Amino acid sequence: MESEHKSGITLPDDEISRKLPKEILLRIFSYLDVTSLCRCGQVSRYWNILALDGSNWQKIDLFDFQRDIEGPVIENISQRCGGFLKYLRLRGCQSVGSHSIRTLANYCHNIEHLDLSECKKISDVAIQQLSRNCAKLTAINLESCSQISDSSLKALSDGCPNLNEINVSWCNLITENGVEALARGCNKIKKFSSKGCKQVNDRAVISLAIYCPGIEVLNLHSCDSITDASISKIAEKCCNLKQLCVSKCTELTDQSLTALAMNNQYLNTLEVAGCAQFTDSGFIALAKNCKYLERMDLEECSLITDATLQNLALGCPSLEKLTLSHCELITDEGIRQLAGGGCAAESLSVLELDNCPLITDATLDHLITCHNLQRIELYDCQLISRNAIRRLRNHLPNIKVHAYFAPVTPPPTINGPRPRYCRCCEIL
């Protein structure tokens, strides 16, 4: 119960609230998540006032409530939080539209991190309002916001000079014009992702290299028109590059890998799935110069052989995850050399070998010494036997082995019904 002061201010009546100053209670509430704050707000009128104080709502993540969040909720939060709000995650809140984000921009001028991914009703109008009122914005995620176009990137370049992280993946209206404008105005960008943006081309990527030399993370997955020219420029200008994804960029050749090897010694993640023109030559150059590599996805790099694995074993002692799916020239000898390298004993935790038709039980025998190995993929490796998997598990009891075996064809039945279940595969 509360008593009301003659001035109209609600006073606490419970023992905790009487003994703890308001400032201490506010500090305690500041550590609570959205759900807990709302529950505290139901305890009493006094706690409701404290729980809904804007200072407690500096960071809000509404992803778990995405189906329930409507525009008016965001408008109410914006008005209540005002300048306190710095982090807001609305991922998947598809009922939230541009009007709500404009309200947010009008009240929450100190917002720094905004995640609007999969908010498909968001348009350029909302981003333009953000750019006018939220100059402190440093990170924005617009992934799968299909109405976003170059106009949004141009607005951000004009009004958000401190932007260092932006994701416009699957925003199909984005072109090289928008990316170039963004790069010119936001030269502090360190993370850029345009996965699936087919109109992001060499000109766009070269603009990022020239105007944003501090880039550390770059995702160009499925930007399939880019060539060695732009990746070489990125390698040359962005010396602190740590993570690069160019999967499905099928025009790239070993020239790109060689440029990365020459200029980007701190590279730790490289995803090049589907880059079928890469050969041993490019990966050997990388292995010799990029000793900090931890994660590599080489799926469908179908020209590489055991020579790549031999050099990775020698030059990349920190390698944790390696994907070799559909690398059909890899053999047991390559795995033997990998297992004998510096990365195998301590670092290697995930190895994906599905659809490598030449590997046999000998591969699993070689991997017994990889004590940190936690998961191995062996789908469609038809020369691997159940006995070899059992031997591997005897030495590495915690390992997860993903494989399947076609069942033995059952004998035809003369009398009696056919089986009513499918046994096309068995997961181990």
Side-chain angles (χ1 to χ4, degrees):
M1 297 292 293
E2 295 91 13
S3 59
E4 193 167 289
H5 193 269
K6 61 183 179 181
S7 63
I9 300 174
T10 300
L11 298 177
D13 238 7
D14 60 280
E15 188 174 354
I16 293 178
S17 301
R18 285 201 309 271
K19 289 186 175 181
L20 290 178
K22 171 185 174 182
E23 291 76 17
I24 299 297
L25 281 170
L26 283 173
R27 183 63 181 269
I28 293 171
F29 286 171
S30 71
Y31 292 101
L32 301 180
D33 58 25
V34 171
T35 303
S36 300
L37 277 172
C38 291
R39 287 172 179 166
C40 288
Q42 297 173 14
V43 170
S44 68
R45 190 187 307 173
Y46 182 67
W47 275 36
N48 182 267
I49 293 172
L50 297 184
L52 297 181
D53 189 275
S55 62
N56 294 321
W57 297 74
Q58 297 183 40
K59 182 176 181 179
I60 301 176
D61 187 345
L62 298 177
F63 175 71
D64 291 337
F65 312 99
Q66 55 182 289
R67 293 184 179 180
D68 304 317
I69 297 299
E70 302 286 343
V73 175
I74 304 305
E75 294 161 27
N76 185 34
I77 288 175
S78 302
Q79 294 173 32
R80 182 174 294 278
C81 297
F84 288 110
L85 187 62
K86 293 184 178 180
Y87 175 105
L88 179 61
R89 186 176 186 232
L90 299 176
R91 182 179 182 87
C93 297
Q94 297 194 26
S95 297
V96 174
S98 292
H99 179 76
S100 301
I101 302 304
R102 291 172 67 184
T103 303
L104 172 77
N106 288 333
Y107 285 94
C108 304
H109 298 166
N110 294 320
I111 190 82
E112 295 175 2
H113 186 115
L114 183 59
D115 186 347
L116 300 174
S117 54
E118 299 178 29
C119 296
K120 298 183 184 298
K121 292 184 178 181
I122 302 298
S123 68
D124 292 330
V125 173
I127 307 304
Q128 289 163 358
Q129 190 73 11
L130 281 170
S131 71
R132 283 192 286 268
N133 295 344
C134 304
K136 295 183 180 180
L137 192 66
T138 60
I140 187 167
N141 189 343
L142 299 170
E143 181 179 348
S144 298
C145 294
S146 53
Q147 297 185 50
I148 295 300
S149 74
D150 290 341
S151 297
S152 287
L153 300 193
K154 291 174 182 176
L156 291 170
S157 72
D158 292 335
C160 302
N162 296 312
L163 198 67
N164 60 50
E165 180 178 344
I166 183 168
N167 185 346
V168 291
S169 297
W170 309 110
C171 295
N172 295 323
L173 301 179
I174 298 296
T175 75
E176 73 273 17
N177 296 323
V179 176
E180 182 174 1
L182 179 75
R184 286 177 180 270
C186 301
N187 52 25
K188 296 179 182 178
I189 288 179
K190 292 185 177 181
K191 296 182 179 180
F192 179 86
S193 178
S194 60
K195 183 177 181 179
C197 295
K198 299 292 186 180
Q199 298 186 76
V200 171
N201 56 17
D202 277 346
R203 179 183 151 200
V205 178
I206 290 172
S207 297
L208 289 169
I210 293 173
Y211 298 110
C212 305
I215 283 183
E216 297 178 2
V217 179
L218 182 60
N219 189 336
L220 301 171
H221 191 297
S222 299
C223 299
D224 49 17
S225 68
I226 66 171
T227 70
D228 294 326
S230 57
I231 299 304
S232 296
K233 184 62 72 173
I234 285 285
E236 175 191 347
K237 297 292 185 180
C238 304
C239 298
N240 292 321
L241 187 67
K242 293 182 174 64
Q243 299 178 27
L244 176 65
C245 175
V246 288
S247 295
K248 306 298 182 183
C249 296
T250 55
E251 298 295 318
L252 300 180
T253 72
D254 285 341
Q255 181 182 334
S256 290
L257 297 182
T258 302
L260 291 167
M262 292 174 58
N263 297 283
N264 306 106
Q265 60 174 322
Y266 298 110
L267 194 67
N268 63 48
T269 300
L270 181 64
E271 299 178 26
V272 294
C275 296
Q277 297 191 61
F278 289 162
T279 71
D280 291 331
S281 176
F283 290 113
I284 289 171
L286 274 175
K288 288 181 178 178
N289 294 287
C290 300
K291 62 181 180 180
Y292 299 108
L293 277 168
E294 297 175 358
R295 292 173 293 278
M296 297 183 73
D297 183 353
L298 312 186
E299 181 174 355
E300 294 182 344
C301 293
S302 54
L303 297 180
I304 66 171
T305 70
D306 294 339
T308 288
L309 301 190
Q310 177 185 2
N311 283 270
L312 290 177
L314 294 172
C316 302
S318 300
L319 197 60
E320 297 176 3
K321 180 180 179 181
L322 179 61
T323 298
L324 298 168
S325 307
H326 294 272
C327 295
E328 298 181 355
L329 301 180
I330 298 298
T331 72
D332 297 330
E333 175 59 19
I335 302 301
R336 183 189 71 78
Q337 303 216 31
L338 181 69
C343 67
E346 300 297 333
S347 302
L348 190 64
S349 60
V350 177
L351 182 60
E352 298 183 356
L353 295 170
D354 43 296
N355 290 278
C356 292
L358 300 182
I359 65 169
T360 70
D361 288 351
T363 279
L364 300 193
D365 294 336
H366 297 322
L367 293 173
I368 284 173
T369 57
C370 300
H371 303 298
N372 199 45
L373 195 60
Q374 299 172 18
R375 176 167 63 86
I376 184 169
E377 304 281 345
L378 296 168
Y379 291 113
D380 222 20
C381 296
Q382 298 183 16
L383 301 181
I384 297 290
S385 71
R386 296 174 187 271
N387 287 334
I389 292 176
R390 291 191 187 99
R391 286 198 302 273
L392 180 66
R393 281 182 166 155
N394 287 337
H395 289 83
L396 305 174
N398 295 322
I399 193 171
K400 294 181 179 179
V401 180
H402 295 160
Y404 72 77
F405 296 90
V408 177
T409 303
T413 56
I414 301 175
N415 300 315
R418 297 179 60 183
R420 288 166 43 185
Y421 54 89
C422 174
R423 296 183 61 231
C424 62
C425 66
E426 180 176 342
I427 307 297
L428 295 183

